[in-house]
Amino acid sequence: MNKKFWLVIVLAAACAIPLAVPNDYIQQIVNMIGIYIILGTGINILTGYTGQLSLGQAAFFGIGAYVTAILNTWTGAQFFVCLIASILITGAASLVLAIPALKVKGPYLALLTQGFGEIIRIVMINWTPVTNGTAGILKIESPRIFGFTFDTLTRYFYLTLFFVVLGLLYQKILIESRTGRAFIAIREDSEAAELTGINVTTYKIRSFVLSSVYCAVAGTLYAMMIRYVSPDTFIANTSSVILWTAIVGGFGTLIGPIIGGVVMQTLPELLRFCGNWRLVVYGIILLIVILHFPGGLYPYIQKLLAFFKRKGSR
Amino acid sequence: MALLELKNVTKRFGGLTAVEALDLDVQEHQIAALIGPNGAGKTTVFNMITGAYHVTEGRVTFNGTVINDEKSYNAMKPHKIVELGIARTFQNIRLFKKMSVLDNVMTGFHSVSKAGMFNIIFKPSEMKREEDENRVKAMKILEFLKLQDIANSQAGGIPYGTQRLLEIGRALATRPKLLLLDEPAAGMNSSEKKALVKTIRSIRDEYNLAVLLVEHDMELVMDISEDITVVNFGRRIAHGTASEVQANEDVIEAYLGRSDD
Ligand SMILES: Nc1ncnc2c1ncn2[C@@H]1O[C@H](COP(=O)(O)OP(=O)(O)O)[C@@H](O)[C@H]1O
Ligand SMILES: [Mg+2]
């Protein structure tokens, strides 16, 4: 009861966010936070809960965005058609990668996914007839759903928010289910998991494909918000930002991706005053976070909240 | 027909022969023991029974099904062998440390439940029902092991002896017909050991299963086992009841020669 009450409060507060946003520039950052929460949730399931490190999430994000861009500009396909195609094609691509990739462990898996990311980026650049090369794809339409067009950033915020909530909700239910326990068991001790009756290979593949589906949804949302895609967006750096989104908030926590999304998207903007030193300061702050808060920020925020609760009840 | 049957099983690691031409039977509802000095090959035998290792020669049959033999296409995957009804605990405890005690047991229900990733969307009520049922069953197992009060503690943080019990609980959740216990009394004090003997007996009766245990505490082994196989350097040197084994010359020599353990 109490939990539901808080959920409603938080949702209402989230819906009110655009009221506090002064301009489109900031609204776009807010929307990007939403997209990165979705990306962060995906990698949180794969790496945070299942323990499989991926450095290639940008590839799936990119496939989702490009499928959407191509389908929409070529055939005029609308949002839901693009979304479903994006999920199916990204999911298929991740399945093709997962089968060989998940036979290897730890750093090798990370290298393999990183390599895959590079391949996809090179395909985006060189498969010009389809992807329009380095110029990218322009003039993607804004989503029209049941006659309503999400053509302003404020409107787009609510579309993004819907998928953020859906993605987080699914993550919560999944992690607390039989499948989630299998994922965590694999992270904790994959051999013991197998000897407890879990088909480790299958569940690793499921986790991998599921995390790519989150990327696909984020990709479609991104393409139809920016209305332009180019290979520059889906580089190795994007993969690391996605990974950091889950790390900063707290790997293997349900709320972590929200904190990570906010931190990773606002920090570079807040640091604009540093001029040329911006990226250096950004890097140093991230290093401090990982050294001082090895479990991410969420556990500390939890402690802080508990502290204030105790103070308040006195 | 024996429940578990190892026939002429050999395991080599490169040049090292860890287990050699071993025969071992476990009957239904029996408490059997596999004993021998350190490095004799006991854990390796468990690893072949559970499918973690492929046998080099010979074959392992469970309930009439070949689960491991020298032809690799007959070797079953470990999770399939769990489904057939063999569960184990580990010499070096291998719990899912960051999960709660209850969730460790719940994970054990994996192979006997169904809910998948899509049930969340398409059959939420069915999934919830299965989850509720499993939670009740898991609590029953915890009550049976007297661990119900720490159900919500993190598994990695509970005392050592309790962790060993919890591993048994997780194994029981898979509904085994055969339970393999690898040094279940290691690290336990004498009162915990006494309780363990009782627990093993009552598990056998309550869950109607057979037990094969590896254990160094001879008092415990002689007290509880109906059938004992003694191995040394991977070979079987004796087999029989406690009194038969204790009178065996080779056994006395193997153990007196290594009075340190
Ligand atoms: N995976 C492995 N690779 C190489 N040698 C192994 C492996 N597992 C066990 N052995 C060797 O097999 C022998 C038997 O080991 P083990 O079965 O653990 O003995 P026990 O459990 O009876 O103490 C030892 O010499 C051990 O070093
Ligand atoms: Mg051993």
Side-chain angles (χ1 to χ4, degrees), chain A residues 170 173-174 176-179 181-182 184-185 187-189 191-199 203 206 210, chain B residues 50 78-79 82 90 94 96-99 103 106-108 110 113-117 120 127 131 170 174:
Chain A
Y170 185 79
I173 300 171
L174 181 83
E176 290 168 0
S177 77
R178 171 174 177 264
T179 305
R181 282 190 297 272
I184 298 171
R187 177 193 72 195
E188 293 289 292
D189 187 334
E191 279 171 53
E194 176 85 25
L195 290 163
T196 308
I198 295 163
N199 187 342
Y203 275 85
R206 285 183 186 180
L210 180 60
Chain B
T50 55
H79 71 266
V82 176
F90 298 88
R94 295 177 79 165
F96 307 127
K97 291 200 177 75
K98 285 195 181 151
M99 281 188 196
D103 276 346
M106 293 282 283
T107 308
H110 187 90
S113 41
K114 290 203 300 272
M117 293 166 58
I120 295 172
M127 187 175 105
E131 189 81 0
R170 181 180 67 186
T174 68

Side-chain angles (χ1 to χ4, degrees), chain A:
Chain A
M1 186 64 223
N2 202 9
K3 259 191 184 164
K4 273 195 185 139
F5 171 75
W6 279 109
L7 194 68
V8 171
I9 297 281
V10 169
L11 271 179
C15 288
I17 288 175
L19 297 176
V21 170
N23 55 43
D24 267 359
Y25 172 73
I26 293 190
Q27 187 63 57
Q28 179 158 327
I29 294 171
V30 171
N31 293 1
M32 283 307 286
I33 291 175
I35 288 172
Y36 269 84
I37 291 175
I38 296 171
L39 291 165
T41 310
I43 200 171
N44 191 39
I45 292 171
L46 176 65
T47 313
Y49 283 108
T50 319
Q52 308 302 307
L53 183 57
S54 164
L55 291 177
Q57 293 301 94
F60 302 117
F61 183 30
I63 294 172
Y66 265 85
V67 166
T68 304
I70 292 164
L71 213 57
N72 177 260
T73 52
W74 286 23
T75 71
Q78 274 307 302
F79 181 76
F80 278 115
V81 176
C82 291
L83 182 70
I84 288 165
S86 157
I87 289 173
L88 290 178
I89 293 172
T90 310
S94 75
L95 194 62
V96 168
L97 178 66
I99 291 166
L102 293 169
K103 293 221 165 89
V104 300
K105 281 180 182 161
Y108 299 103
L109 175 63
L111 285 176
L112 230 133
T113 50
Q114 192 174 35
F116 181 73
E118 270 314 285
I119 292 170
I120 293 300
R121 196 178 64 86
I122 290 166
V123 170
M124 286 171 187
I125 294 171
N126 290 316
W127 197 17
T128 320
V130 175
T131 63
N132 204 24
T134 48
I137 300 172
L138 284 150
K139 292 189 182 154
I140 303 163
E141 289 173 298
S142 291
R144 215 173 333 111
I145 301 167
F146 303 127
F148 187 83
T149 315
F150 292 85
D151 55 357
T152 68
L153 285 168
T154 309
R155 287 177 176 185
Y156 212 89
F157 170 82
Y158 291 101
L159 184 65
T160 312
L161 181 65
F162 173 77
F163 284 99
V164 168
V165 172
L166 202 67
L168 287 169
L169 213 61
Y170 185 79
Q171 175 192 229
K172 180 178 159 57
I173 300 171
L174 181 83
I175 290 307
E176 290 168 0
S177 77
R178 171 174 177 264
T179 305
R181 282 190 297 272
F183 286 169
I184 298 171
I186 291 169
R187 177 193 72 195
E188 293 289 292
D189 187 334
S190 66
E191 279 171 53
E194 176 85 25
L195 290 163
T196 308
I198 295 163
N199 187 342
V200 170
T201 313
T202 306
Y203 275 85
K204 277 186 185 174
I205 292 172
R206 285 183 186 180
S207 181
F208 201 79
V209 173
L210 180 60
S211 91
S212 83
V213 167
Y214 276 84
C215 293
V217 174
T220 297
L221 285 172
Y222 176 85
M224 290 195 146
M225 177 173 81
I226 307 292
R227 304 176 59 195
Y228 164 66
V229 294
S230 86
D232 298 341
T233 310
F234 308 104
I235 52 178
N237 182 51
T238 303
S239 287
S240 3
V241 172
I242 295 170
L243 181 63
W244 275 97
T245 300
I247 291 178
V248 164
F251 249 154
T253 66
L254 294 170
I255 304 293
I258 303 178
I259 299 164
V262 173
V263 171
M264 293 304 289
Q265 295 306 306
T266 51
L267 201 55
E269 302 298 329
L270 294 175
L271 293 175
R272 284 208 184 272
F273 71 91
C274 299
N276 287 339
W277 291 93
R278 184 168 74 117
L279 289 177
V280 177
V281 178
Y282 182 63
I284 291 173
I285 291 179
L286 289 183
L287 277 180
I288 292 174
V289 167
I290 198 152
L291 288 175
H292 268 264
F293 307 96
L297 293 172
Y298 177 60
Y300 293 88
I301 292 174
Q302 242 179 344
K303 268 186 209 159
L304 215 64
L305 284 177
F307 176 76
F308 283 121
K309 235 187 207 169
R310 252 178 294 135
K311 275 211 140 173
S313 66
R314 256 184 221 153

Side-chain angles (χ1 to χ4, degrees), chain B residues 13 16 18 36-45 53 91 182-183 216:
Chain B
F13 296 105
L16 177 103
N38 274 324
K42 305 178 298 291
T43 298
T44 304
V45 169
Y53 291 167
Q91 184 176 343
D182 199 348
E183 306 200 14
H216 281 301

Side-chain angles (χ1 to χ4, degrees), chain B residues 36-62:
Chain B
N38 274 324
K42 305 178 298 291
T43 298
T44 304
V45 169
F46 274 18
N47 282 330
M48 288 188 287
I49 297 171
T50 55
Y53 291 167
H54 191 200
V55 302
T56 314
E57 279 163 29
R59 83 171 13 173
V60 183
T61 314
F62 180 71

